[in-house]
């Protein structure tokens, strides 16, 4: 947990970050990681610290902060009405836990036992091995994003297991079930899907092939590492295969002759954040690889709805119709976390009364203050602690099928 404050008594007008030492850490060995002004920082916990101590760390001065803040006063409602690709702001990363380059994500309660993924955020530094992320990508592949965490947890919830079981019954007659994740990054959702399918008894299905895709040799190598670390059940479940493959949207998946070209299920999260230029290649990839009776599950964190809904319009022109995942919206585990009940044509539209009402009546916390979603500014986001920010993010996430 962190909060930001100005030290009025300090002649330098310094800005400090307050970090609380959590329990179950080893002072002098473990570190605390935090983000300030878009930069991830790490500090060693002092040897004489105990749980509950507050570490006060200087990160800047208030005069420069106020100059930066002067450009960040617009509300979320103002941001939603923007149209330009360049206006899309990167989202502060929210992870269940971060420690020395490993992000942990606890999966849903529908699995037979509690599973917590341990996801490497960079390749191990072995000898001369490269540690640079995905030179072909845009730097977003090295962390689990909130919409991906929500999708991973929903697929492995009791509701998700039931939904996947029905999907498998719908595919009766197919001896092999083939699934693909687009824009896998660390592999959060694809690995979660593998755990979900491994927990379902399906005697008639002889094999599952789950393919995790992204761009760049280093991202694929990182995916392979995370698959090996988090899919250890494969040794006991011989009919389930989880593999990474490079894929640039718009191109056909290049695999060996045994890999499928059509997939029963395609999943993805936070695929619309970049620009409208990626929408046609993305849709072409879905169209190329989706089985005629297949299912697409797409987790969306809305940022610029007027821009992003263009994806759904283009999809409908190709005959790919996305609707709200009703089972997800009705699930007790998620209806409070992700309460939006708007379709893609309504969300964030100034002309839609239901959307305006959602933003005005949905509240989030900023410190000890409750504010409507519509009134949140970037300054508010910077002042949120991790729990508040996670809640803020989830209230802007929907899943479509």
């Amino acid at each position: 947990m962190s909060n930001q404050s100005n030290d009025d008594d300090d002649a330098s007008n310094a800005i400090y970050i307050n970090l609380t030492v959590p329990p179950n850490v080893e002072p002098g060995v473990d570190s605390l990681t935090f983000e300030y002004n878009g930069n991830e920082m790490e500090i060693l916990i002092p040897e004489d610290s105990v749980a509950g101590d507050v570490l006060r760390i200087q990160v800047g001065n208030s005069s420069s902060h106020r100059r930066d803040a002067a450009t960040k006063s617009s509300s979320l409602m103002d941001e939603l009405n923007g149209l330009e690709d360049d206006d899309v702001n990167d989202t502060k990363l929210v992870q269940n836990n971060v420690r020395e380059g490993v992000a942990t994500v606890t999966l849903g309660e529908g699995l037979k036992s509690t599973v917590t993924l341990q996801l490497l955020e960079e390749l191990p530094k072995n000898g001369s091995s490269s540690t640079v992320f995905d030179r072909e990508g845009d730097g977003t592949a090295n962390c689990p994003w909130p919409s991906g965490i929500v999708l991973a947890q929903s697929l492995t919830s009791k509701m998700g297991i039931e939904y996947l079981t029905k999907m498998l019954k719908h595919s009766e007659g197919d001896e092999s079930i083939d699934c693909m994740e687009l824009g896998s990054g660390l592999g959060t959702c694809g690995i979660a899907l593998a755990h979900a399918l491994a927990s379902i008894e399906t005697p008639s299905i002889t094999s599952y092939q789950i393919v995790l895709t992204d761009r760049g040799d280093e991202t694929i190598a990182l995916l392979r590492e995370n698959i090996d670390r988090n899919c250890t059940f494969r040794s006991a479940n011989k009919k389930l295969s989880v593999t990474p493959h490079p894929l640039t949207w718009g191109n056909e998946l290049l695999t060996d002759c045994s890999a499928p070209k059509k997939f029963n299920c395609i999943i993805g999260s936070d695929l619309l954040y970049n620009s409208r230029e990626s929408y046609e290649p993305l849709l072409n990839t879905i169209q190329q690889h989706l089985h005629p009776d297949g299912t697409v599950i797409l987790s969306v964190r809305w940022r610029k709805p007027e821009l992003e809904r263009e994806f759904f319009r283009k999809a409908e022109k190709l005959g790919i119709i996305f609707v709200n995942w009703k089972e997800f919206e009705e699930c007790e585990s998620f209806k409070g976390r992700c309460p939006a009940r708007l379709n893609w044509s309504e969300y964030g539209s100034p002309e839609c009364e239901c959307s305006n009402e959602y933003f005005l009546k949905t509240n989030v916390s900023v410190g000890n203050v409750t504010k409507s979603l519509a009134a949140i500014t970037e300054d508010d986001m910077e002042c949120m602690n991790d729990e508040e920010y996670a809640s803020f993010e989830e209230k802007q996430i929907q899943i479509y099928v």
Side-chain angles (χ1 to χ4, degrees):
M1 182 181 299
S2 68
N3 64 285
Q4 184 176 304
S5 63
N6 289 350
D7 187 353
D8 294 332
D9 296 327
D10 193 315
S12 65
N13 291 319
I15 292 176
Y16 294 88
I17 289 288
N18 293 338
L19 300 175
T20 302
V21 178
N24 303 320
V25 295
E26 186 175 350
V29 176
D30 293 334
S31 300
L32 296 178
T33 303
F34 64 96
E35 186 178 278
Y36 178 76
N37 278 357
N39 298 312
E40 186 173 284
M41 301 181 181
E42 184 176 295
I43 184 169
L44 184 69
I45 300 174
E47 292 186 358
D48 57 350
S49 300
V50 296
D53 283 355
V54 177
L55 308 180
R56 197 162 186 250
I57 304 141
Q58 182 177 340
V59 292
N61 63 76
S62 59
S63 58
S64 63
H65 177 76
R66 283 193 295 269
R67 285 195 300 270
D68 293 341
T71 64
K72 298 181 179 180
S73 59
S74 60
S75 70
L76 179 61
M77 211 60 159
D78 296 329
E79 292 295 323
L80 288 173
N81 294 333
L83 296 176
E84 296 302 320
D85 295 5
D86 292 341
D87 289 340
V88 179
N89 295 312
D90 286 341
T91 303
K92 174 182 172 184
L93 309 184
V94 177
Q95 301 167 11
N96 288 33
N97 183 38
V98 181
R99 183 173 176 179
E100 296 184 359
V102 178
T104 66
V105 177
T106 300
L107 298 183
E109 82 290 352
L111 302 177
K112 296 176 182 178
S113 60
T114 301
V115 175
T116 299
L117 303 183
Q118 304 284 335
L119 300 167
L120 291 181
E121 296 181 304
E122 61 181 33
L123 293 172
K125 299 178 181 178
N126 297 327
S128 60
S129 298
S130 172
T131 58
V132 180
F133 275 106
D134 191 9
R135 294 178 187 272
E136 297 179 34
D138 56 7
T140 59
N142 61 335
C143 60
W145 291 80
S147 63
I149 293 173
V150 169
L151 180 56
Q153 292 174 340
S154 64
L155 290 172
T156 51
S157 67
K158 292 179 181 179
M159 173 279 300
I161 298 297
E162 291 175 2
Y163 182 87
L164 292 172
T165 301
K166 291 178 182 177
M167 184 189 76
L168 295 178
K169 288 182 178 180
H170 181 69
S171 301
E172 283 186 355
D174 294 338
E175 293 185 353
S176 176
I177 296 296
D178 306 305
C179 305
M180 175 167 67
E181 181 185 13
L182 297 172
S184 296
L186 300 184
T188 310
C189 300
I191 293 171
L193 178 61
H195 278 275
L197 293 176
S199 72
I200 301 174
E201 298 292 335
T202 52
S204 63
I205 297 174
T206 59
S207 69
Y208 293 97
Q209 292 191 16
I210 303 172
V211 180
L212 279 58
T213 68
D214 214 314
R215 294 191 301 162
D217 292 341
E218 293 180 32
T219 300
I220 298 305
L222 185 58
L223 274 172
R224 186 173 288 108
E225 286 277 352
N226 282 329
I227 290 169
D228 290 343
R229 288 168 178 259
N230 293 282
C231 294
T232 54
F233 57 82
R234 290 179 298 171
S235 59
N237 192 333
K238 300 296 184 182
K239 67 180 184 179
L240 198 150
S241 167
V242 188
T243 56
H245 283 281
L247 177 64
T248 299
W249 296 343
N251 297 338
E252 187 172 347
L253 183 67
L254 299 177
T255 64
D256 56 42
C257 59
S258 65
K261 291 186 177 180
K262 297 291 183 179
F263 294 86
N264 303 86
C265 182
I266 296 177
I267 65 172
S269 65
D270 224 337
L271 303 183
L272 309 184
Y273 74 94
N274 197 359
S275 74
R276 58 167 58 92
E277 294 177 359
S278 66
Y279 296 165
E280 286 190 9
L282 172 57
L283 286 167
N284 288 340
T285 294
I286 293 173
Q287 195 173 37
Q288 285 174 339
H289 294 94
L290 185 62
H291 188 281
D293 296 322
T295 299
V296 181
I297 305 176
L298 193 65
S299 182
V300 176
R301 194 296 198 185
W302 293 100
R303 293 182 177 84
K304 295 288 182 181
E306 288 301 326
L307 167 68
E308 293 153 346
R309 75 176 92 256
E310 183 65 21
F311 168 84
F312 296 98
R313 294 192 186 102
K314 289 179 179 292
E316 289 202 343
K317 291 179 180 179
L318 295 174
I320 304 173
I321 311 299
F322 284 95
V323 297
N324 298 55
W325 188 8
K326 292 300 183 185
E327 290 86 348
F328 169 78
E329 293 184 346
E330 294 169 359
C331 179
E332 290 296 330
S333 300
F334 298 101
K335 62 168 53 176
R337 290 171 58 184
C338 304
R341 300 294 179 267
L342 304 162
N343 63 44
W344 62 261
S345 66
E346 296 172 332
Y347 190 99
S349 172
E351 290 78 28
C352 178
E353 185 177 342
C354 292
S355 177
N356 293 334
E357 183 176 359
Y358 176 74
F359 283 93
L360 290 170
K361 292 189 175 181
T362 301
N363 294 325
V364 293
S365 295
V366 183
N368 295 321
V369 179
T370 299
K371 302 184 71 171
S372 73
L373 199 57
I376 296 297
T377 66
E378 286 193 32
D379 286 342
D380 292 327
M381 296 179 213
E382 289 187 359
C383 293
M384 292 176 180
N385 62 37
D386 290 346
E387 292 80 8
E388 291 169 342
Y389 198 86
S391 175
F392 168 74
E393 282 286 297
E394 290 180 348
K395 286 177 171 59
Q396 298 172 88
I397 292 172
Q398 292 186 285
I399 301 183
Y400 295 91
V401 295

